[in-house]
Amino acid sequence: MPQYTPPIRDTRFVLEHVVGLDRHANVDGFANATPDTVDAVLEEGGRFVAEVLFPLNQVGDQEGCVRHDDGSVTTAAGFKEAYAQFVESGWGTLSAPEAYGGQAMPHVVSTAFQEYMISANMAFAMYPGLAHGAIAALVVKGSDEQKAKYLPRMVSGEWGGTMNLTEPQCGTDLGLIRTKAEPNADGSYSITGTKIFISAGEHDLTDNIIHLVLAKTPGAPDSSKGISLFVVPKVMVGDDGSLGRRNAVSCGSIEHKMGIHGNSTCVMNYDGATGWLVGQENRGLNAMFVMMNEARLAVGIQGLGQSEVAYQNAVAYAKDRLQGRSLTGAKAPDKVADPIIVHPDVRRTLMGIRAFNEAARALVLWTALQADIGHRSDDAGQRQAAEDHMGLLTPVVKGVLTDRGFANAVEAQQLFGGHGYIEEWGMSQFVRDARIAMIYEGANGIQAMDLVGRKLPKDGGRAMMGFLAEVQTFIKDHGEDSALTPYTAPLQAGLNDLQAATMWFMQNAFAKPDNAGAGATDYMHLFGLVALGYMSARIAKAALARQAEAASDRMAARLVTSRFFMERLLPETATRLARIKAGADTTMALAAEAF
Ligand SMILES: Cc1cc2nc3c(=O)[nH]c(=O)nc-3n(C[C@H](O)[C@H](O)[C@H](O)COP(=O)(O)OP(=O)(O)OC[C@H]3O[C@@H](n4cnc5c(N)ncnc54)[C@H](O)[C@@H]3O)c2cc1C
């Protein structure tokens, strides 16, 4: 049976010593996040996911969701009861605004809990996850009436939420949307069209589902500038909040897919459904981006979450499975063979995943902290720097953490040999579940293009210069400390590669955009390696400072892990830079007919 223990000690270490929660008392809501409260969230939340959600992970995978003739969908056995417990305990309300019944805790705290939920049961976590994206869009773009009508019950978890962008002919290129929104006399709109691949589109967990739908009004420009956002409830809501008639929206079918079987992925038919405009007409993409940025970070966390649970299982197996003898003499002479954890190649795999997970957790929490500062700080300069950071790092967290998260799940599966390939041990599910994170919320190739094409040049490169300066300052401030040199020296080499790649794009991509397109994915990963390397160095710094404490074994382990990152993972920046500098010539030389 697979196992999972929420890494509470690691989270706490990052929150306290790497991102330094206590240094941000000026940010609204941080007063609520006393060490005791944060501990309670991690401990109680960890217990909930381990005891309630994780045991349902394989159930959801095996049973999937079932659509009935009347269009209703039932989730796997136990999901409904677990969701009721989730709502009852208020886990979905942690960082939601108090005005709508939330607890207004920092986003960074709920992000820690989110990682645990995703590791325990990614398909389940997506139900409240999608609702959160919809909540974020309504908070920022909704009218007062829409907020009052929908938000309190979405925040509590009583109602679900979805995002409806994709259509059969339109995925990445949203300008191709065909769903129509015809104005009605009473100010509402009549929505008609088909959306596909809609996560949590229909299910039995909640009484109502609030769909956010992209559609085009009559005469709107035939491009992404002609898209508007609409709120379309599954069940109509009266002014007094009561539930009325069913709206003309239904689930036509559910997809049979590679992973996340426990989450219903629906074809949604809108047959003149009643909806209301959210924000301004033709500004729908702008409104949807609020939701997508939040969702992209959440998808990045899916990469980390699957990497972590796959790692924990691989460690347990590697300690237990007896095969071969250590190269340096038997380590378990009383047994028929040594456990495979003695073999350097097995260690290489485990250390690689572990080093990534520790750095990625810090990167996720650091980025979530920037979201808090960007939204809630009382200092305008701090807010701008944090927003720059968020914009720049969002495609990196989404693209890099999910690419590596999937790769790590495969590596962890490899340690099981043939036992990883059969379903019994659960490794196959982690691999299958992790795969989708590279695709949805904008395929990773698109994240790379977003980084290179939009985020880098934005505001004259201000965000990028801020990031480079921050890492450089860290290296400079600690360059004289010989205990930190094994971390700062490789980080400097990685940073040099990132600067060289950025410069190369500036000199070679404007005149020839294919150079940017051909190097974008390598650039995103180069950037990710430096960002993760920076986190790893900060972990090392914090661990060194705490080495004298009672937990010195754990601190020593963190130092070794960070050093492994510097020696074994970070040098990949040089390869990425070489590929970027090769440009687009050979990539684009062959005519399409030659393939
Ligand atoms: C399980 C699942 C759940 C989903 N949930 C939702 C949901 O809740 N709501 C929703 O609206 N959608 C959802 N989606 C849809 C998902 O977001 C899209 O599948 C994804 O954005 C890619 O769109 P596409 O499949 O049409 O691929 P396409 O857009 O056709 O892209 C195909 C390939 O071409 C590449 N490509 C396309 N354009 C470019 C370009 N300009 N430059 C470089 N490369 C390019 C892409 O990177 C990709 O690799 C879900 C999908 C799945 C499978």
Side-chain angles (χ1 to χ4, degrees):
M1 284 291 280
Q3 49 186 280
Y4 172 65
T5 307
I8 293 173
R9 199 184 279 153
D10 288 345
T11 309
R12 200 180 281 140
F13 175 79
V14 172
L15 289 177
E16 281 178 20
H17 305 302
V18 182
V19 304
L21 264 196
D22 57 345
R23 291 200 301 271
H24 299 279
N26 66 324
V27 180
D28 197 23
F30 276 57
N32 297 348
T34 60
D36 285 352
T37 320
V38 174
D39 270 357
V41 170
L42 299 181
E43 294 286 348
E44 288 304 315
R47 188 170 307 132
F48 171 73
V49 306
E51 291 176 3
V52 179
L53 299 188
F54 190 61
L56 295 177
N57 198 33
Q58 280 189 307
V59 179
D61 188 50
Q62 285 154 13
E63 289 186 15
C65 300
V66 178
R67 178 188 175 277
H68 306 281
D69 289 343
D70 63 357
S72 64
V73 172
T74 40
T75 49
F79 269 48
K80 200 170 171 174
E81 293 74 14
Y83 187 80
Q85 253 181 285
F86 172 87
V87 173
E88 167 91 357
S89 313
W91 290 118
T93 69
L94 284 177
S95 57
E98 261 167 339
Y100 308 112
Q103 300 180 50
M105 295 270 282
H107 184 54
V108 61
V109 177
S110 61
T111 299
F113 172 68
Q114 209 178 351
E115 182 205 321
Y116 301 169
M117 265 221 296
I118 288 166
S119 285
N121 195 328
M122 179 165 145
F124 180 97
M126 286 174 67
Y127 291 103
L130 266 297
H132 271 158
I135 290 167
L138 284 173
V139 166
V140 178
K141 300 287 177 184
S143 66
D144 288 346
E145 192 193 337
Q146 288 166 349
K147 289 179 188 171
K149 197 172 222 177
Y150 301 116
L151 283 176
R153 287 204 256 179
M154 291 174 80
V155 166
S156 71
E158 205 180 325
W159 294 347
T162 66
M163 55 195 280
N164 291 239
L165 293 76
T166 309
E167 299 180 10
Q169 78 294 344
C170 134
T172 303
D173 188 353
L174 292 170
L176 301 176
I177 277 178
R178 286 195 199 133
T179 297
K180 292 277 170 238
E182 301 277 348
N184 297 323
D186 64 357
S188 66
Y189 287 77
S190 187
I191 314 285
T192 304
T194 300
K195 297 284 178 180
I196 62 168
F197 300 162
I198 304 308
S199 299
E202 177 61 49
H203 54 76
D204 58 352
L205 304 183
T206 57
D207 292 338
N208 204 358
I209 302 175
I210 310 305
H211 304 290
L212 288 189
V213 185
L214 288 184
K216 285 183 175 169
T217 52
D222 198 16
S223 70
S224 60
K225 294 197 172 70
I227 301 172
S228 305
L229 181 66
F230 297 87
V231 57
V232 185
K234 168 179 157 181
V235 183
M236 304 297 275
V237 182
D239 289 340
D240 59 352
S242 61
L243 291 183
R245 68 172 172 85
R246 265 299 293 262
N247 205 349
V249 47
S250 59
C251 167
S253 62
I254 51 177
E255 308 290 354
H256 299 281
K257 53 194 193 286
M258 176 174 170
I260 51 164
H261 295 156
N263 195 269
S264 55
T265 309
C266 301
V267 172
M268 298 301 294
N269 296 323
Y270 291 85
D271 300 309
T274 307
W276 288 267
L277 186 66
V278 178
Q280 291 170 21
E281 199 171 335
N282 295 337
R283 301 280 293 156
L285 264 196
N286 183 278
M288 204 57 143
F289 267 121
V290 175
M291 191 160 168
M292 280 178 355
N293 277 338
E294 171 134 336
R296 282 180 177 168
L297 287 177
V299 174
I301 303 169
Q302 292 182 343
L304 166 63
Q306 293 307 298
S307 180
E308 173 66 31
V309 69
Y311 167 79
Q312 289 190 16
N313 284 276
V315 168
Y317 192 79
K319 286 181 179 170
D320 192 54
R321 177 71 173 168
L322 305 178
Q323 291 290 300
R325 286 293 181 196
S326 161
L327 297 174
T328 53
K331 296 292 179 291
D334 53 323
K335 302 212 168 109
V336 292
D338 285 338
I340 60 171
I341 198 163
V342 304
H343 304 307
D345 192 57
V346 170
R347 289 297 188 97
R348 172 191 64 79
T349 302
L350 292 176
M351 286 302 292
I353 308 176
R354 178 189 176 110
F356 166 84
N357 289 354
E358 290 193 5
R361 181 166 300 110
L363 183 62
V364 158
L365 294 174
W366 184 48
T367 304
L369 176 74
Q370 303 304 319
D372 284 320
I373 295 171
H375 292 152
R376 309 183 190 191
S377 172
D378 57 9
D379 176 326
Q382 256 194 1
R383 276 203 308 274
Q384 185 186 71
E387 273 164 19
D388 281 355
H389 172 105
M390 281 286 293
L392 187 67
L393 267 290
T394 296
V396 177
V397 168
K398 196 285 182 180
V400 174
L401 266 53
T402 60
D403 273 358
R404 294 195 89 102
F406 173 72
N408 287 346
V410 172
E411 292 260 306
Q413 181 190 37
Q414 184 73 9
L415 292 191
F416 283 70
H419 301 273
Y421 194 70
I422 59 169
E423 293 293 337
E424 184 186 345
W425 289 86
M427 299 308 286
S428 159
Q429 183 186 356
F430 302 143
V431 170
R432 290 184 286 101
D433 286 0
R435 183 67 181 88
I436 185 58
M438 298 159 73
I439 297 172
Y440 56 23
E441 285 309 330
N444 283 358
I446 303 303
Q447 302 300 323
M449 291 299 293
D450 178 45
L451 174 66
V452 169
R454 292 182 53 232
K455 301 297 169 55
L456 267 190
K458 193 164 178 267
D459 303 315
R462 189 179 70 207
M464 186 60 187
M465 286 189 287
F467 176 80
L468 293 172
E470 172 160 356
V471 181
Q472 193 61 74
T473 304
F474 176 88
I475 296 171
K476 197 161 151 265
D477 287 352
H478 301 97
E480 303 293 308
D481 182 347
S482 60
L484 272 173
T485 311
Y487 310 94
T488 50
L491 183 58
Q492 181 70 63
L495 188 66
N496 293 346
D497 287 342
L498 180 59
Q499 277 166 326
T502 310
M503 188 62 75
W504 194 88
F505 275 144
M506 282 164 64
Q507 290 165 350
N508 296 280
F510 286 119
K512 195 171 168 189
D514 276 352
N515 278 333
T521 289
D522 283 306
Y523 187 85
M524 180 178 75
H525 278 280
L526 200 174
F527 195 138
L529 284 162
V530 173
L532 291 166
Y534 175 44
M535 290 298 110
S536 204
R538 283 176 56 165
I539 289 172
K541 181 189 156 215
L544 272 171
R546 258 144 220 95
Q547 238 182 347
E549 292 174 7
S552 61
D553 284 356
R554 286 205 300 278
M555 295 308 144
R558 288 192 208 289
L559 288 170
V560 170
T561 307
S562 295
R563 196 140 170 184
F564 184 94
F565 191 100
M566 300 300 168
E567 290 175 357
R568 293 292 195 125
L569 303 188
L570 195 54
E572 194 187 314
T573 57
T575 308
R576 299 280 182 185
L577 175 61
R579 287 191 196 142
I580 291 165
K581 284 185 167 174
D585 289 350
T586 50
T587 307
M588 299 305 288
L590 298 183
E593 301 75 52
F595 286 85

